[in-house]
Amino acid sequence: MDEIEVAKPCIEMEDEGYNCEWSQELKIKDSFDEYLNAWILIHVLKDKFGWNSLEFGTIFNMSIGYDLKGIMNSNIQWFLDKMNDCSEELDEKIDSLTGIYPHIKNLKIPARISNCVTLSTMHGCPPDEIESIAKYLIEKRELHTTVKLNPTLLGAGELRYILNEKLGYKTI
């Protein structure tokens, strides 16, 4: 859903990151454009500062959720397609940046921005839905997939057992 009003940012980064509200403050196409801008900039900076002998060391991990029906919407499918192959948009941006950084034409910037995704299970995503989404992402999209589990799916008793008995946290 990229048509929602958000009263505050989703990510709060003071000493650690956590979600405090819905994750999509930008329209899907704007999100893709920001990913692409950052992707190009990282490659330009690596070249500019002579870090070419270093491993790339950057992973762009997509975040997705909360139901398969939503993921199958045309805007999300477009986004996943573009994150897999942004050749056309990449070429356009490289052409527009040549005047600022001429050496950009010589850089080998991959057209695949990301091949990994984290599936969020917050906001009441039921277990069978989680399974169907993960199966789709792995089998159909061939994405490295991490499932971010909502601990409350385990139920209060199991969660208390893990936190108190296994990990040693005390109930207040």
Side-chain angles (χ1 to χ4, degrees), residues 61-119:
N61 186 47
M62 298 177 279
S63 177
I64 203 164
Y66 302 104
D67 64 17
L68 186 57
K69 182 180 175 190
I71 291 166
M72 299 307 289
N73 281 335
S74 60
N75 63 338
I76 302 299
Q77 292 297 300
W78 175 89
F79 178 80
L80 293 171
D81 289 342
K82 291 301 179 182
M83 293 297 282
N84 185 56
D85 182 1
C86 65
S87 302
E88 184 178 325
E89 294 81 2
L90 179 61
D91 290 344
E92 287 173 12
K93 288 214 184 238
I94 287 172
D95 287 344
S96 73
L97 294 169
T98 302
I100 298 168
Y101 193 74
H103 197 251
I104 196 169
K105 287 278 193 188
N106 301 328
L107 301 183
K108 291 185 170 121
I109 304 175
R112 186 177 209 181
I113 297 174
S114 180
N115 67 351
C116 57
V117 64
T118 296
L119 167 60

Coordinates of all heavy atoms in Angstrom, one line a residue, residues 61-119:
N61 N 18.6 -5.0 0.6 CA 17.6 -5.9 1.0 C 16.2 -5.3 0.9 O 15.9 -4.3 1.6 CB 17.9 -6.4 2.4 CG 17.0 -7.6 2.8 OD1 16.8 -8.5 2.1 ND2 16.4 -7.5 4.0
M62 N 15.3 -5.9 0.1 CA 14.0 -5.4 -0.1 C 13.2 -5.9 1.1 O 13.5 -6.9 1.7 CB 13.3 -5.9 -1.3 CG 14.0 -5.5 -2.6 SD 13.3 -6.2 -4.1 CE 14.1 -7.8 -4.1
S63 N 12.1 -5.1 1.5 CA 11.2 -5.5 2.5 C 9.8 -5.6 1.9 O 9.4 -4.8 1.1 CB 11.2 -4.4 3.6 OG 10.3 -4.8 4.6
I64 N 9.1 -6.7 2.3 CA 7.8 -6.9 1.7 C 6.9 -7.6 2.7 O 7.4 -8.1 3.7 CB 8.0 -7.8 0.4 CG1 6.9 -7.7 -0.6 CG2 8.3 -9.3 0.8 CD1 7.2 -8.2 -1.9
G65 N 5.6 -7.4 2.5 CA 4.7 -8.1 3.4 C 3.3 -7.6 2.9 O 3.2 -7.0 1.9
Y66 N 2.3 -7.9 3.4 CA 1.8 -8.6 4.5 C 0.8 -9.7 4.0 O 0.3 -10.5 4.8 CB 1.0 -7.7 5.5 CG 2.0 -6.6 6.0 CD1 1.9 -5.3 5.6 CD2 2.9 -7.0 7.0 CE1 2.8 -4.4 6.1 CE2 3.8 -6.0 7.5 CZ 3.7 -4.7 7.0 OH 4.5 -3.8 7.5
D67 N 0.5 -9.7 2.7 CA -0.3 -10.7 2.2 C 0.1 -10.9 0.7 O 0.5 -10.0 0.0 CB -1.8 -10.5 2.3 CG -2.4 -9.3 1.6 OD1 -1.7 -8.8 0.7 OD2 -3.5 -8.9 2.0
L68 N -0.1 -12.2 0.2 CA 0.2 -12.5 -1.1 C -0.6 -11.7 -2.2 O 0.0 -11.3 -3.2 CB 0.1 -14.0 -1.4 CG 0.6 -14.6 -2.7 CD1 2.1 -14.2 -2.9 CD2 0.4 -16.1 -2.8
K69 N -1.8 -11.5 -1.9 CA -2.7 -10.7 -2.8 C -2.1 -9.4 -3.0 O -2.0 -8.9 -4.2 CB -4.1 -10.6 -2.2 CG -5.0 -9.9 -3.1 CD -6.4 -9.8 -2.5 CE -7.3 -8.9 -3.4 NZ -8.6 -8.6 -2.8
G70 N -1.6 -8.7 -2.0 CA -1.0 -7.4 -2.1 C 0.3 -7.4 -2.9 O 0.6 -6.6 -3.7
I71 N 1.1 -8.5 -2.6 CA 2.4 -8.7 -3.3 C 2.2 -8.9 -4.8 O 3.0 -8.5 -5.7 CB 3.2 -9.8 -2.7 CG1 3.6 -9.4 -1.3 CG2 4.4 -10.2 -3.5 CD1 4.1 -10.5 -0.4
M72 N 1.0 -9.5 -5.2 CA 0.8 -9.8 -6.6 C 0.2 -8.6 -7.3 O 0.0 -8.6 -8.5 CB -0.2 -11.0 -6.7 CG 0.3 -12.3 -6.1 SD 1.9 -12.8 -6.7 CE 1.5 -13.2 -8.4
N73 N -0.1 -7.5 -6.6 CA -0.5 -6.2 -7.3 C 0.5 -5.8 -8.3 O 1.7 -6.0 -8.2 CB -0.8 -5.1 -6.3 CG -2.1 -5.2 -5.6 OD1 -3.0 -5.8 -6.0 ND2 -2.1 -4.7 -4.4
S74 N 0.0 -5.2 -9.4 CA 0.9 -4.8 -10.5 C 2.0 -3.9 -10.1 O 3.2 -4.0 -10.6 CB 0.1 -4.2 -11.6 OG -0.6 -3.0 -11.2
N75 N 1.8 -3.0 -9.1 CA 2.9 -2.1 -8.7 C 4.0 -2.8 -8.0 O 5.2 -2.5 -8.2 CB 2.3 -0.9 -7.9 CG 1.7 -1.3 -6.6 OD1 1.3 -2.4 -6.4 ND2 1.6 -0.3 -5.7
I76 N 3.7 -3.8 -7.2 CA 4.7 -4.5 -6.5 C 5.4 -5.5 -7.4 O 6.6 -5.6 -7.4 CB 4.1 -5.3 -5.3 CG1 3.4 -4.4 -4.3 CG2 5.2 -6.2 -4.6 CD1 4.3 -3.4 -3.7
Q77 N 4.7 -6.1 -8.4 CA 5.3 -6.9 -9.4 C 6.3 -6.1 -10.2 O 7.4 -6.5 -10.5 CB 4.3 -7.6 -10.3 CG 3.4 -8.6 -9.5 CD 4.3 -9.8 -9.0 OE1 4.9 -10.5 -9.8 NE2 4.3 -10.0 -7.7
W78 N 5.9 -4.9 -10.6 CA 6.7 -4.0 -11.3 C 8.0 -3.7 -10.5 O 9.1 -3.7 -11.1 CB 6.0 -2.6 -11.6 CG 6.8 -1.6 -12.3 CD1 7.0 -1.4 -13.6 CD2 7.6 -0.6 -11.6 NE1 7.9 -0.4 -13.8 CE2 8.3 0.1 -12.6 CE3 7.9 -0.3 -10.3 CZ2 9.1 1.2 -12.3 CZ3 8.7 0.8 -10.0 CH2 9.3 1.5 -11.0
F79 N 7.9 -3.4 -9.2 CA 9.0 -3.1 -8.4 C 10.0 -4.3 -8.3 O 11.2 -4.1 -8.5 CB 8.5 -2.7 -7.0 CG 9.6 -2.4 -6.0 CD1 10.2 -1.2 -6.0 CD2 10.0 -3.4 -5.1 CE1 11.2 -0.9 -5.1 CE2 11.0 -3.2 -4.2 CZ 11.6 -1.9 -4.2
L80 N 9.4 -5.5 -8.1 CA 10.3 -6.7 -8.0 C 11.0 -6.9 -9.4 O 12.2 -7.2 -9.4 CB 9.4 -7.9 -7.6 CG 8.9 -7.9 -6.2 CD1 7.9 -9.0 -6.0 CD2 10.0 -7.9 -5.2
D81 N 10.3 -6.7 -10.5 CA 10.9 -6.8 -11.8 C 12.1 -5.8 -12.0 O 13.1 -6.2 -12.4 CB 9.9 -6.6 -12.9 CG 8.9 -7.7 -13.0 OD1 9.1 -8.8 -12.5 OD2 7.8 -7.4 -13.7
K82 N 11.8 -4.6 -11.6 CA 12.9 -3.5 -11.7 C 14.0 -3.8 -10.8 O 15.2 -3.5 -11.2 CB 12.3 -2.1 -11.5 CG 11.3 -1.7 -12.6 CD 12.0 -1.7 -13.9 CE 11.1 -1.3 -15.0 NZ 11.8 -1.3 -16.3
M83 N 13.8 -4.2 -9.6 CA 14.9 -4.5 -8.7 C 15.8 -5.7 -9.2 O 17.0 -5.8 -9.0 CB 14.4 -4.9 -7.3 CG 13.8 -3.7 -6.6 SD 14.9 -2.3 -6.3 CE 15.8 -2.9 -4.9
N84 N 15.2 -6.5 -10.0 CA 15.9 -7.6 -10.7 C 16.6 -7.2 -11.9 O 17.7 -7.7 -12.3 CB 14.9 -8.8 -11.0 CG 15.6 -10.0 -11.5 OD1 16.5 -10.5 -10.9 ND2 15.2 -10.4 -12.7
D85 N 16.0 -6.3 -12.7 CA 16.6 -5.8 -13.9 C 16.2 -4.4 -14.2 O 15.1 -4.1 -14.7 CB 16.3 -6.7 -15.1 CG 17.0 -6.3 -16.4 OD1 17.7 -5.3 -16.4 OD2 16.7 -6.9 -17.4
C86 N 17.1 -3.4 -13.9 CA 16.7 -2.0 -14.1 C 17.6 -1.4 -15.3 O 17.9 -0.2 -15.3 CB 17.0 -1.2 -12.8 SG 18.8 -1.2 -12.4
S87 N 17.9 -2.3 -16.3 CA 18.8 -1.8 -17.4 C 18.4 -0.5 -18.0 O 19.2 0.4 -18.2 CB 18.8 -2.9 -18.5 OG 19.2 -4.1 -17.9
E88 N 17.1 -0.4 -18.3 CA 16.7 0.8 -19.0 C 16.8 2.1 -18.2 O 17.4 3.1 -18.6 CB 15.2 0.6 -19.4 CG 14.6 1.8 -20.3 CD 13.2 1.5 -20.7 OE1 12.8 0.4 -20.9 OE2 12.4 2.5 -20.7
E89 N 16.4 2.0 -16.9 CA 16.5 3.2 -16.0 C 17.9 3.4 -15.7 O 18.3 4.6 -15.6 CB 15.6 2.9 -14.8 CG 14.2 2.8 -15.0 CD 13.7 1.5 -15.5 OE1 14.5 0.5 -15.6 OE2 12.5 1.3 -15.7
L90 N 18.7 2.4 -15.5 CA 20.1 2.6 -15.2 C 20.8 3.3 -16.3 O 21.6 4.3 -16.1 CB 20.8 1.2 -15.0 CG 22.3 1.2 -14.6 CD1 22.6 2.0 -13.4 CD2 22.7 -0.3 -14.5
D91 N 20.6 2.9 -17.6 CA 21.2 3.5 -18.7 C 20.8 5.0 -18.8 O 21.6 5.9 -19.1 CB 20.8 2.8 -20.0 CG 21.5 1.4 -20.2 OD1 22.5 1.2 -19.4 OD2 21.0 0.7 -21.0
E92 N 19.5 5.3 -18.6 CA 19.0 6.7 -18.6 C 19.8 7.5 -17.6 O 20.2 8.7 -17.8 CB 17.5 6.7 -18.4 CG 16.7 6.3 -19.5 CD 15.2 6.2 -19.2 OE1 14.8 6.7 -18.2 OE2 14.5 5.5 -20.0
K93 N 19.9 7.0 -16.3 CA 20.5 7.8 -15.3 C 22.0 7.9 -15.6 O 22.6 9.0 -15.3 CB 20.3 7.1 -13.9 CG 18.9 7.2 -13.5 CD 18.8 7.3 -12.0 CE 17.4 7.4 -11.6 NZ 17.0 8.6 -10.8
I94 N 22.7 6.9 -16.1 CA 24.1 7.0 -16.4 C 24.3 8.1 -17.5 O 25.2 8.9 -17.4 CB 24.7 5.7 -16.9 CG1 24.8 4.7 -15.7 CG2 26.0 5.8 -17.6 CD1 25.2 3.3 -16.0
D95 N 23.4 8.1 -18.5 CA 23.5 9.2 -19.5 C 23.3 10.6 -18.9 O 24.0 11.5 -19.3 CB 22.4 9.0 -20.6 CG 22.7 7.8 -21.5 OD1 23.9 7.3 -21.5 OD2 21.8 7.3 -22.2
S96 N 22.4 10.7 -18.0 CA 22.2 12.0 -17.4 C 23.3 12.4 -16.4 O 23.4 13.6 -16.2 CB 20.8 12.0 -16.6 OG 20.9 11.3 -15.4
L97 N 24.1 11.5 -15.9 CA 25.2 11.8 -15.0 C 26.5 12.0 -15.7 O 27.5 12.4 -15.0 CB 25.2 10.8 -13.9 CG 24.0 10.7 -13.0 CD1 24.1 9.4 -12.1 CD2 24.0 11.9 -12.1
T98 N 26.6 11.7 -16.9 CA 27.9 11.7 -17.6 C 28.6 13.1 -17.5 O 29.8 13.2 -17.4 CB 27.7 11.3 -19.1 OG1 27.2 10.0 -19.1 CG2 29.1 11.2 -19.8
G99 N 27.8 14.2 -17.6 CA 28.4 15.5 -17.5 C 29.0 15.8 -16.2 O 29.9 16.6 -16.1
I100 N 28.4 15.2 -15.1 CA 28.9 15.4 -13.8 C 30.1 14.5 -13.4 O 31.1 14.9 -12.8 CB 27.8 15.2 -12.7 CG1 26.6 16.1 -13.0 CG2 28.3 15.3 -11.3 CD1 25.4 15.8 -12.3
Y101 N 30.0 13.3 -13.9 CA 31.0 12.3 -13.6 C 31.3 11.4 -14.9 O 30.7 10.4 -15.0 CB 30.6 11.4 -12.4 CG 31.8 10.6 -11.8 CD1 32.8 11.1 -11.1 CD2 31.8 9.2 -12.1 CE1 33.8 10.4 -10.5 CE2 32.9 8.4 -11.6 CZ 33.8 9.0 -10.8 OH 34.9 8.3 -10.3
P102 N 32.1 11.9 -15.8 CA 32.3 11.3 -17.1 C 32.7 9.8 -17.0 O 32.3 9.0 -17.8 CB 33.4 12.1 -17.8 CG 33.3 13.4 -17.1 CD 32.9 13.2 -15.7
H103 N 33.5 9.5 -15.9 CA 33.9 8.1 -15.8 C 32.8 7.1 -15.5 O 33.0 5.9 -15.6 CB 35.0 8.0 -14.7 CG 35.8 6.8 -14.8 ND1 35.8 5.8 -13.9 CD2 36.7 6.3 -15.8 CE1 36.6 4.8 -14.2 NE2 37.2 5.1 -15.4
I104 N 31.6 7.6 -15.2 CA 30.5 6.7 -14.9 C 30.2 5.7 -16.1 O 29.8 4.6 -15.9 CB 29.2 7.5 -14.5 CG1 28.2 6.5 -13.9 CG2 28.7 8.2 -15.7 CD1 27.1 7.2 -13.2
K105 N 30.5 6.2 -17.3 CA 30.3 5.4 -18.5 C 31.2 4.1 -18.5 O 30.8 3.1 -19.2 CB 30.6 6.2 -19.8 CG 29.6 7.2 -20.1 CD 28.5 6.6 -20.9 CE 27.6 7.7 -21.5 NZ 26.4 7.2 -22.0
N106 N 32.3 4.2 -17.8 CA 33.2 3.0 -17.7 C 32.9 2.1 -16.6 O 33.6 1.0 -16.5 CB 34.7 3.5 -17.6 CG 35.0 4.4 -18.8 OD1 34.6 4.2 -19.9 ND2 35.9 5.4 -18.5
L107 N 32.0 2.4 -15.7 CA 31.7 1.6 -14.5 C 30.9 0.4 -14.9 O 30.0 0.6 -15.7 CB 31.1 2.4 -13.4 CG 31.9 3.6 -12.9 CD1 31.1 4.3 -11.8 CD2 33.3 3.2 -12.4
K108 N 31.1 -0.7 -14.2 CA 30.2 -1.8 -14.5 C 29.2 -1.9 -13.3 O 29.5 -2.5 -12.3 CB 31.1 -3.1 -14.5 CG 31.9 -3.2 -15.7 CD 32.7 -4.4 -15.9 CE 33.3 -4.5 -17.2 NZ 34.6 -4.6 -17.4
I109 N 28.1 -1.2 -13.5 CA 27.1 -1.2 -12.5 C 26.0 -2.2 -12.9 O 25.4 -2.1 -13.9 CB 26.4 0.2 -12.4 CG1 27.5 1.3 -12.1 CG2 25.3 0.2 -11.3 CD1 27.0 2.7 -12.1
P110 N 25.9 -3.3 -12.0 CA 24.9 -4.3 -12.4 C 23.5 -3.8 -12.5 O 23.1 -2.9 -11.8 CB 25.1 -5.3 -11.2 CG 26.4 -5.0 -10.6 CD 26.6 -3.6 -10.8
A111 N 22.8 -4.4 -13.4 CA 21.4 -4.0 -13.6 C 20.5 -4.7 -12.5 O 19.3 -4.4 -12.4 CB 20.9 -4.4 -15.0
R112 N 21.0 -5.6 -11.8 CA 20.2 -6.2 -10.7 C 20.6 -5.6 -9.4 O 21.7 -5.7 -8.9 CB 20.5 -7.7 -10.6 CG 19.7 -8.4 -9.6 CD 19.9 -9.9 -9.6 NE 18.7 -10.6 -9.2 CZ 18.6 -11.9 -9.0 NH1 19.7 -12.7 -9.3 NH2 17.5 -12.5 -8.6
I113 N 19.7 -4.8 -8.8 CA 19.9 -4.1 -7.6 C 19.9 -5.0 -6.4 O 20.7 -4.9 -5.5 CB 18.9 -2.9 -7.4 CG1 19.1 -1.9 -8.6 CG2 19.1 -2.3 -6.1 CD1 18.0 -0.8 -8.6
S114 N 19.0 -6.0 -6.4 CA 18.8 -6.8 -5.2 C 18.3 -8.2 -5.6 O 17.4 -8.3 -6.5 CB 17.8 -6.2 -4.2 OG 17.6 -7.0 -3.1
N115 N 18.8 -9.2 -4.9 CA 18.2 -10.6 -5.0 C 17.8 -11.1 -3.7 O 17.7 -12.3 -3.5 CB 19.3 -11.5 -5.7 CG 20.5 -11.7 -4.8 OD1 20.7 -11.1 -3.8 ND2 21.3 -12.6 -5.3
C116 N 17.6 -10.2 -2.7 CA 17.2 -10.7 -1.4 C 16.1 -9.9 -0.8 O 15.9 -8.7 -1.2 CB 18.4 -10.8 -0.5 SG 19.2 -9.2 -0.2
V117 N 15.2 -10.5 0.0 CA 14.1 -9.8 0.5 C 13.8 -10.3 1.9 O 14.1 -11.5 2.3 CB 12.8 -10.1 -0.4 CG1 12.5 -11.6 -0.4 CG2 11.6 -9.3 0.0
T118 N 13.3 -9.4 2.8 CA 12.8 -9.8 4.1 C 11.3 -9.7 4.1 O 10.7 -8.7 3.7 CB 13.4 -8.9 5.2 OG1 14.8 -9.2 5.2 CG2 12.8 -9.3 6.6
L119 N 10.6 -10.8 4.5 CA 9.2 -10.8 4.6 C 8.8 -10.4 6.0 O 9.2 -11.1 7.0 CB 8.7 -12.2 4.2 CG 7.2 -12.5 4.6 CD1 6.3 -11.5 3.9 CD2 6.9 -13.9 4.2

